[in-house]
Amino acid sequence: MRIHSGERPYECKECGKTFSRSSNFRTHTRNHSGERAYECKECGKGFLVPSHLTKHRRMHTGERPYECKECGKVFRQTSSLRPHRRIHTGERPYECKECGKVFRQMSSLTTHRRIHSGERPYECKEQCGKAFISSTALIKHRRIHSGERPYECKECGKAFTGRSNLKTHIIIHSGERAYECKECGKEFLLPSHLTRHRKIHSGERPYECKECGKSFTRRSHLTTHRRIHSGEKPYECKECGKSFTRRSHLTRHRRIHSGERPYECKECGKTTQAAGSEEPTIAT
């Protein structure tokens, strides 16, 4: 009846939040007390409610009881299955009011909005102070400093900082290029690569620098460009301490120390450290 009447007789003395059910009120009070009465016997982690413990246990057991009827993929939680289904239906119910871009999950929209607001709540405090719009971006960034590459290709042993990078790489081995440009017939490994390519034909450059007005087809290009204004050089050579704005520049620089010369002239057989005609040098 309280659903219809709107009555919420259970009030939290800590924060004033009210509840229609005593069970919801009791669960909420644990947020303030820090009590986590439901403990995992495997790892000792504690939880506020038994349902959270049940979900957590599946990490240890490997149980994935929720199956997609379209493709057979299985999930530990119904909350993960629901947004997955939208891949098949094409449904994207969450729209950005700023630019009209739509998303399958509310969390993706929340992260996207920070592009417009400029909010970057996740900061690399231990190393360089760089801030990010999502916690996953920060976790991936930290691997630049630690050198960690936890995602390894079973085919060739190449390792990556992010799972998405590994997924893209695996497609290289399969040779599959399922996404074709209707304008020129060029084929791509991923739909995101096709979307990016189409901007060449349309001339669209949606990522604009607020400092100078220059615009780019890719967000990554804008991120790199901003370092011209900020002076940020996040990629440091461990050998000599020289820093660079791009990882590719650091990779090329390291060859000065290692002596690697991977580019060979087909005419004369001469090898060089860089793909251009000039060799990089160490400034004296």
Side-chain angles (χ1 to χ4, degrees):
M1 292 292 291
R2 288 173 185 150
I3 293 172
H4 302 295
S5 68
E7 184 188 3
R8 301 171 76 87
Y10 304 100
E11 183 179 347
C12 175
K13 303 303 182 187
E14 292 283 333
C15 64
K17 192 171 184 179
T18 56
F19 301 86
S20 58
R21 298 181 184 180
S22 60
S23 59
N24 292 349
F25 170 63
R26 283 195 301 273
T27 300
H28 169 80
T29 56
R30 293 182 190 132
N31 287 320
H32 299 297
S33 68
E35 180 191 3
R36 292 177 177 266
Y38 305 97
E39 184 179 331
C40 174
K41 304 302 182 187
E42 291 283 331
C43 64
K45 191 171 183 181
F47 298 88
L48 296 173
V49 293
S51 61
H52 292 177
L53 173 58
T54 300
K55 288 176 189 175
H56 168 80
R57 279 177 176 151
R58 292 176 187 144
M59 291 177 64
H60 300 298
T61 64
E63 183 191 7
R64 291 172 174 263
Y66 304 102
E67 183 180 346
C68 174
K69 303 303 181 186
E70 290 285 330
C71 66
K73 192 171 183 178
V74 289
F75 300 88
R76 286 194 292 264
Q77 302 176 37
T78 52
S79 59
S80 299
L81 174 58
R82 279 195 298 272
H84 167 80
R85 282 177 176 150
R86 294 177 187 138
I87 294 172
H88 303 297
T89 64
E91 183 190 8
R92 290 174 174 264
Y94 304 104
E95 182 180 348
C96 174
K97 303 303 181 187
E98 291 282 331
C99 65
K101 192 171 183 179
V102 289
F103 300 87
R104 286 193 293 267
Q105 300 183 58
M106 173 60 79
S107 59
S108 300
L109 173 58
T110 300
T111 300
H112 167 82
R113 281 175 175 155
R114 293 177 185 139
I115 294 171
H116 300 298
S117 69
E119 182 192 6
R120 291 173 172 264
Y122 303 97
E123 185 180 344
C124 178
K125 294 177 180 177
E126 302 86 354
Q127 298 283 342
C128 64
K130 189 174 182 182
F132 300 86
I133 60 174
S134 69
S135 58
T136 52
L138 173 57
I139 290 167
K140 189 174 179 179
H141 165 81
R142 281 177 175 151
R143 292 174 185 146
I144 294 172
H145 301 300
S146 68
E148 182 191 9
R149 290 175 170 263
Y151 303 100
E152 185 178 335
C153 175
K154 304 302 181 187
E155 290 281 330
C156 65
K158 191 171 182 179
F160 301 86
T161 56
R163 183 183 286 109
S164 60
N165 301 110
L166 173 59
K167 285 181 179 177
T168 302
H169 170 81
I170 287 169
I171 297 169
I172 294 171
H173 293 300
S174 70
E176 181 186 2
R177 290 177 174 263
Y179 304 97
E180 183 181 341
C181 175
K182 302 302 180 186
E183 292 282 331
C184 65
K186 192 171 184 179
E187 295 175 333
F188 298 88
L189 299 173
L190 300 172
S192 59
H193 292 178
L194 173 58
T195 300
R196 195 166 61 197
H197 166 81
R198 281 177 176 152
K199 290 168 186 168
I200 295 171
H201 300 298
S202 67
E204 183 189 5
R205 302 172 78 86
Y207 304 103
E208 184 180 340
C209 175
K210 304 302 182 187
E211 292 283 331
C212 66
K214 191 171 182 179
S215 56
F216 302 86
T217 56
R218 302 187 195 180
R219 184 183 292 115
S220 60
H221 290 177
L222 173 58
T223 300
T224 300
H225 167 81
R226 280 176 176 153
R227 293 174 187 145
I228 295 171
H229 302 297
S230 68
E232 181 194 9
K233 297 190 173 201
Y235 304 103
E236 183 181 340
C237 175
K238 304 301 182 186
E239 293 283 331
C240 66
K242 191 172 182 180
S243 297
F244 301 86
T245 55
R246 300 185 186 188
R247 184 184 286 109
S248 60
H249 292 177
L250 173 58
T251 301
R252 189 170 61 196
H253 166 83
R254 281 176 176 154
R255 293 177 188 139
I256 295 170
H257 302 295
S258 68
E260 182 189 5
R261 304 170 73 86
Y263 301 100
E264 182 179 344
C265 175
K266 302 302 179 186
E267 293 290 325
C268 66
K270 185 178 179 181
T271 56
T272 60
Q273 292 169 345
S277 57
E278 295 183 8
E279 293 275 23
T281 58
I282 298 177
T284 57

